[in-house]
Amino acid sequence: MSTFGVIAVVALTIIVLIAMGALLSYLSRTGSEKHADPDAELIEAVNAVLPQTQCAQCGYPGCRPYAQAIIKNDEPINRCPPGGEQTIEQLSTLLGTPVLALDTSCGQQKPEQVAVIKEDICIGCTLCIVACPVDAIVGAAKLMHTVIADECTGCELCIPPCPVDCIDLIQPEQTAASWQWPKPAS
Amino acid sequence: MGMFGKEKKACMQGPLLFGFHGGLQLQPNKRALQNSTDPITELEAPHELVIPLLDYNKNSIAPQVELNQHVNRGQLLAAGIIAPATGQVMAIEPRHIIHPETIKANAVVLEVDKASDNQSVHMANQANHDSTAWDTQLSAFLNMPDNVLQQSALYGLGGAGFPTASKLDAALGGIQTLIINAAECEPEIACDEALMQTEATHIARGIDALVQLTQCRHCLLAIEDSMPAAIDAMSAALKSINAQVKLTVIPTIYPTGAESSLIQTLTGRFIPHNEKPSDHGIVCFNVATAYALYQAIGGKALDSRVVSLGGSAMPNPLNVRVRFGSSVEAILLATGNASVINTARLRAGGPLSGFDLDTPQVPITAQTNALLAEPCITETPAQPCIRCGECSDVCPAKLLPQQLHWYAMSDDHEKCQQLNLDACIECGCCDLVCPASIKLTQSFRYAKSKAKHIAQHQQKTLDAEQRFALHEARVAKRKQEKAHAIEQRKQSLKARSKPQSDQIKAALERAKLSAKSKKPR
Ligand code: SF4
Ligand code: SF4
Ligand code: SF4
C-alpha cells in the first residue's frame, strides 16, 4: 500500500468517526428534548413520599437518587429506615407493588432525632458542614459550629467526620410551637 | 347538669339583636365578685417574675437583655415583650410555662427590686389622677399612633392575645363598625366586669381613642344583661367622651363573647372562620384592651391584668390585678388561697374554655383571665354516642360534633376538613350537653393540633429537599470547577513540558549511565 493510500484510509476513518459522533450526540440531544424522561413524574411522586432525611442509608446519596433507582433499576422499596413501615406502605400503594418488611441491613427505624454540637469542644474544623446534606450546620473555619435544630433531619452523616466526637444526637425537644393536644381516651 | 338551661330563645330576640346558633344559658357564678366589696385587689409584684420569650405563634424569640442586667419596668426584654417590673435578670433559661401539659420555653427570670418597683407604682397612680393631661395625650397619640403602639407591647386581653398593633393595622381605613366586647359570658370570669365597675371613665377614654383612630362609622359596646353595675358605670362614663358609642345590652348566653357569636348577635352577619371581621368592615376589641390603650397613651405599657380567682373550691375568691410573669403559686399565696395548692384541681381560664394545670409553679400571661380551684373528681368515662343530636343543637359554629368526633378519633383529617373542623371555636358547649360524657372538645383540639403538626412536618420535609438540591448543585459545581482547574493545569504543564522533558530525558540518561559505570561488580 502506498503512503497516500494509508493516509486516505486514516482520514476517511476519522471523518466517519466524527460524523457518527455528531449524529449520535444530535440524536441523544433531540431525544431528551422531544421526549422528556417518561419516568420523571413517577420519580417525583416517589421522592415526595420519601422522608428527605438524606441519610444515604438506602445506599444512594440521598432520597432523590434512591427514588430514581426504585423506578429505573427496580430497586426494592424497603431500603429507607427513616421512613420505616409508613413509607413502605405509601410506596407500595403508589407503585402497586407488595408491602415488604424493612430491609434491616440498611438500618433500623429510629425515633425522630436532631444533632447538637457540644460547643465548648468544637474546634471549628468545618468537616461536619461539608458532610451535612441539608446545610443545617453553620459556622466558619476555626470558629464554633452550631446545628440549626429546625433544619436538621437527624441523618447522622455529620457524626463520623467529627475528629473530636463533639456531636450528639438527641430527641427533639417538645416546644410550645410543636406541642399537640393528647388524644382523649376512646 | 342543672348548671344550664336551654330555654334561651325567648329572651334572645330583642328588637335590635340577631342572636346566633346554639349556645347555652349558664349560671354566671362569678364568685370573684360576689364575696368581696372591692372589685379589684392590686397585688404587689412577687420576688420573681418569669417572662417566657414566645411570640404570638408560640415560637421562641431572642432576648434583648443579658444576664445580670438591670432592667426598668416597661423596658423591652425581646421584640414585643416588656419587663413587668424593675429588677435584675437572674437567668435566661427554659422554664415551665402555663400550658395544658407541663412544657418549658426559654424565659427571662427577673428578680424584682421592690423599692424601685413600688416607686414606679406610686408614679403611675399619680399620672392616672392627672386628668387635664388626657386631651393633649390623646391628640399626640392620634398624630403618631405607631409610637405608642410599638412601645407599649399591647395585645388583646380577651383570650387570644393577638397583637393590637397588627389588628389595628389591618383595620385602619375601611372600618364601618367597631365593637367593644364586654360580654364576658363564661361562668366564673369577672375581670372585665370588675374593670368596668372601677375604671369606667378610663375605659371610655380608651374607646374614644379607638373610635377616633379607626374613624369607624358606628361603635357598639356590648355588655351582658347580668352585669347591671357595669352597665350603669359605663353608660355614665360614655357621656364624658366625644365619640358616639352605643351601649348594647345583650342576653347572657355562652359563648356570646366569642368574636364570631358577638358579631352575629349585633349585626346579623355570620363571618366564616377563614375570613377576618375586617374583611367585612368590622373590628372587635376587648374592653380591657381599650383600657390598656388608655394607659398606653398615658405612657404606661401593658404589664399586668385582672385575673378572676374562683371555682367552687377557692376559699377566698376575688379579682386581682397581677403583673405578667407572677406565678400561680405566688398569686394563691398572696390572696389567702394557699390551701388549694395541694388539695384542689387548678385550672387556668374558664370552666369551659380553660385547661387544668399540672403545677402552680407557672407564670401567668396576658391570656390568663381566670384561675379556678375545683374539687378533684374522677371523670365519668365516655359512653357510646346515642345520637341524640344535642351537641349540634348547641354548637355556635353550626358543626356536627358527633360526626366530627368520629373522624377526629380515627385521624381522618380529610373528613375533618370537609366537616369544617377549623371553624370549631373550642367553646365546650357540646361537651357540656353530651349525655354520654364524650370528650368532644378535646378530640377537636387534638385533631386541630395534629393537622397543624402534619403541615409543619410537610413544610420541613419540603425545605430539607430544597436545601439538599442546593447542596448537591453546589457540590457538583465545585467538583466541576476542580476538574476544570486540574485539566487546565495539565494543559499548561504539557504546553511548556516539551523542552523540559527533553532536558529531563537527557538528564535521566546521564544518570543511568553514570549509575551503571559506578555499579560495583
Ligand atoms: S434511607 Fe435516607 S437517603 Fe435513603 S431515601 Fe431514606 S431518608 Fe432518603
Ligand atoms: S367545642 Fe366546637 S364543636 Fe363543640 S360546640 Fe363548641 S364550636 Fe361546636
Ligand atoms: S350529644 Fe353526645 S350522645 Fe348526643 S349526639 Fe352528640 S356526641 Fe352523641
Side-chain angles (χ1 to χ4, degrees):
Chain A
M1 225 199 272
S2 69
T3 327
F4 179 74
V6 174
I7 290 172
V9 169
V10 170
L12 207 66
T13 323
I14 288 171
I15 287 167
V16 167
L17 276 176
I18 288 173
M20 267 170 67
L23 190 70
L24 266 177
S25 80
Y26 171 76
L27 276 180
S28 70
R29 216 179 323 129
T30 49
S32 69
E33 266 166 21
K34 279 190 182 153
H35 322 275
D37 186 346
D39 295 332
E41 229 170 85
L42 208 48
I43 292 173
E44 206 51 56
V46 169
N47 187 42
V49 170
L50 295 174
Q52 307 301 324
T53 310
Q54 317 295 359
C55 62
Q57 289 182 84
C58 50
Y60 294 88
C63 303
R64 185 175 289 278
Y66 177 44
Q68 267 156 358
I70 289 177
I71 300 304
K72 299 263 187 211
N73 311 341
D74 280 334
E75 189 67 277
I77 59 172
N78 62 346
R79 297 184 58 86
C80 172
E85 254 172 55
Q86 199 193 344
T87 296
I88 296 172
E89 260 164 45
Q90 283 172 315
L91 286 174
S92 103
T93 331
L94 179 69
L95 303 171
T97 56
V99 174
L100 306 170
L102 177 67
D103 182 346
T104 48
S105 71
C106 299
Q108 300 277 3
Q109 190 178 15
K110 289 184 195 161
E112 215 181 308
Q113 57 185 11
V114 288
V116 273
I117 294 178
K118 290 197 211 93
E119 296 183 345
D120 45 338
I121 303 182
C122 169
I123 54 169
C125 70
T126 77
L127 289 176
C128 58
I129 297 194
V130 177
C132 177
V134 291
D135 295 343
I137 306 181
V138 288
K142 297 201 179 134
L143 289 172
M144 176 202 85
H145 295 1
T146 310
V147 179
I148 308 165
D150 264 355
E151 305 198 338
C152 172
T153 61
C155 72
E156 302 187 13
L157 291 177
C158 55
I159 311 275
C162 177
V164 289
D165 271 342
C166 74
I167 310 180
D168 286 335
L169 287 160
I170 59 160
Q171 309 264 308
E173 253 178 83
Q174 176 87 267
T175 65
S178 73
W179 180 82
Q180 293 178 56
W181 279 92
K183 199 174 191 169
S186 93
Chain B
M1 294 262 184
M3 196 179 162
F4 56 88
K6 278 179 246 151
E7 319 73 27
K8 58 158 210 188
K9 295 275 175 311
C11 71
M12 280 222 35
Q13 310 296 345
L16 292 161
L17 297 176
F18 299 88
F20 62 97
H21 181 264
L24 288 167
Q25 254 186 3
L26 304 173
Q27 291 295 329
N29 253 343
K30 300 196 173 183
R31 292 184 178 84
L33 271 178
Q34 283 159 9
N35 299 358
S36 81
T37 48
D38 203 0
I40 300 174
T41 312
E42 186 104 15
L43 285 195
E44 233 181 74
H47 283 293
E48 183 188 86
L49 294 174
V50 176
I51 301 97
L53 295 167
L54 294 174
D55 66 6
Y56 171 68
N57 292 317
K58 303 238 160 61
N59 289 314
S60 268
I61 46 179
Q64 294 176 6
V65 288
E66 284 166 4
L67 201 60
N68 298 326
Q69 188 178 330
H70 175 89
V71 293
N72 286 318
R73 187 172 180 185
Q75 186 177 334
L76 269 193
L77 297 178
I81 299 178
I82 57 157
T86 300
Q88 197 179 2
V89 178
M90 295 310 285
I92 300 174
E93 62 186 19
R95 286 291 188 107
H96 285 145
I97 59 173
I98 195 158
H99 201 264
E101 263 178 1
T102 343
I103 62 167
K104 288 182 174 179
N106 209 24
V108 171
V109 181
L110 211 62
E111 190 182 84
V112 177
D113 174 354
K114 290 264 179 175
S116 37
D117 193 63
N118 284 341
Q119 203 169 351
S120 78
V121 173
H122 183 69
M123 274 160 61
N125 284 343
Q126 270 191 334
N128 252 354
H129 289 118
D130 180 12
S131 55
T132 46
W134 171 247
D135 290 332
T136 343
Q137 285 168 344
L138 179 60
S139 53
F141 166 69
L142 292 171
N143 278 335
M144 298 257 269
D146 287 350
N147 281 357
V148 168
L149 293 173
Q150 265 148 32
Q151 272 165 32
S152 49
L154 287 188
Y155 19 83
L157 292 165
F162 194 71
T164 303
S166 324
K167 202 169 185 178
L168 276 170
D169 249 5
L172 288 188
I175 290 303
Q176 302 275 323
T177 310
L178 168 68
I179 296 175
I180 305 295
N181 186 346
E184 203 166 57
C185 53
E186 195 168 353
E188 300 279 7
I189 305 174
C191 33
D192 293 348
E193 191 174 350
L195 196 66
M196 287 188 283
Q197 288 179 16
T198 53
E199 300 286 349
T201 325
H202 297 158
I203 294 172
R205 287 180 179 172
I207 297 175
D208 198 7
L210 281 171
V211 171
Q212 297 197 40
L213 185 65
T214 57
Q215 309 221 308
C216 59
R217 289 234 199 119
H218 328 274
C219 175
L220 301 170
L221 167 65
I223 311 181
E224 282 191 334
D225 57 9
S226 58
M227 318 179 189
I231 293 171
D232 287 349
M234 284 312 303
S235 76
L238 289 178
K239 295 198 181 93
S240 69
I241 57 169
N242 289 326
Q244 289 291 313
V245 180
K246 189 163 174 288
L247 197 160
T248 310
V249 179
I250 55 171
T252 304
I253 297 162
Y254 178 80
T256 207
E259 194 168 79
S260 54
S261 311
L262 187 63
I263 291 174
Q264 222 186 332
T265 304
L266 296 174
T267 70
R269 265 199 245 184
F270 179 75
I271 297 181
H273 73 275
N274 44 11
E275 289 172 28
K276 288 200 297 286
S278 57
D279 301 338
H280 297 255
I282 301 172
V283 67
C284 291
F285 287 99
N286 187 268
V287 69
T289 312
Y291 176 69
L293 178 64
Y294 158 76
Q295 291 212 302
I297 293 172
K300 190 173 170 299
L302 175 60
D303 58 14
S304 68
R305 71 157 297 139
V306 182
V307 179
S308 294
L309 305 183
S312 61
M314 192 71 80
N316 185 24
L318 77 170
N319 280 311
V320 284
R321 178 171 280 283
V322 282
R323 273 346 135 72
F324 299 150
S326 309
S327 80
V328 171
E329 189 177 41
I331 296 169
L332 294 173
L333 286 172
T335 53
N337 285 310
S339 63
V340 299
I341 289 174
N342 294 315
T343 55
R345 179 166 61 94
L346 293 175
R347 202 170 163 80
L352 286 101
S353 65
F355 50 84
D356 286 356
L357 289 175
D358 294 338
T359 160
Q361 273 130 10
V362 286
I364 67 131
T365 69
Q367 278 115 290
T368 318
N369 48 11
L371 293 171
L372 309 181
E374 297 288 353
C376 302
I377 37 150
T378 43
E379 273 171 5
T380 3
Q383 309 288 314
C385 168
I386 58 167
R387 295 173 195 281
C388 63
E390 300 256 348
C391 50
S392 31
D393 286 349
V394 297
C395 175
K398 300 190 198 164
L399 303 178
L400 299 169
Q402 79 281 24
Q403 289 194 32
L404 260 176
H405 177 71
W406 171 261
Y407 293 118
M409 294 301 280
S410 45
D411 292 303
D412 190 337
H413 295 291
E414 231 165 85
K415 268 284 192 305
C416 285
Q417 294 314 310
Q418 279 170 21
L419 289 175
N420 226 352
L421 172 68
D422 288 339
C424 168
I425 58 168
E426 302 173 24
C427 64
C429 284
C430 49
D431 278 15
L432 208 55
V433 294
C434 176
S437 318
I438 298 173
K439 288 196 167 180
L440 299 154
T441 314
Q442 197 191 328
S443 72
F444 305 150
R445 285 169 159 176
Y446 157 75
K448 276 183 177 179
S449 61
K450 177 140 189 193
K452 195 174 124 210
H453 182 82
I454 291 174
Q456 277 171 353
H457 189 80
Q458 272 170 351
Q459 189 55 51
K460 200 181 156 179
T461 309
L462 226 60
D463 291 349
E465 186 193 342
Q466 265 168 21
R467 286 199 314 278
F468 175 66
L470 286 177
H471 179 95
E472 291 295 274
R474 211 176 52 229
V475 170
K477 193 171 164 223
R478 208 175 286 153
K479 218 172 175 178
Q480 211 182 12
E481 278 169 2
K482 217 171 177 180
H484 189 70
I486 290 174
E487 189 56 33
Q488 266 189 343
R489 187 146 175 75
K490 266 192 195 156
Q491 294 292 341
S492 72
L493 274 176
K494 238 186 223 162
R496 52 186 179 143
S497 65
K498 266 266 156 65
Q500 268 180 8
S501 69
D502 285 347
Q503 286 168 11
I504 293 170
K505 243 186 218 158
L508 278 174
E509 291 295 317
R510 285 200 305 276
K512 266 185 212 159
L513 279 174
S514 77
K516 247 183 211 163
S517 64
K518 276 182 193 160
K519 228 177 211 165
R521 283 238 156 168

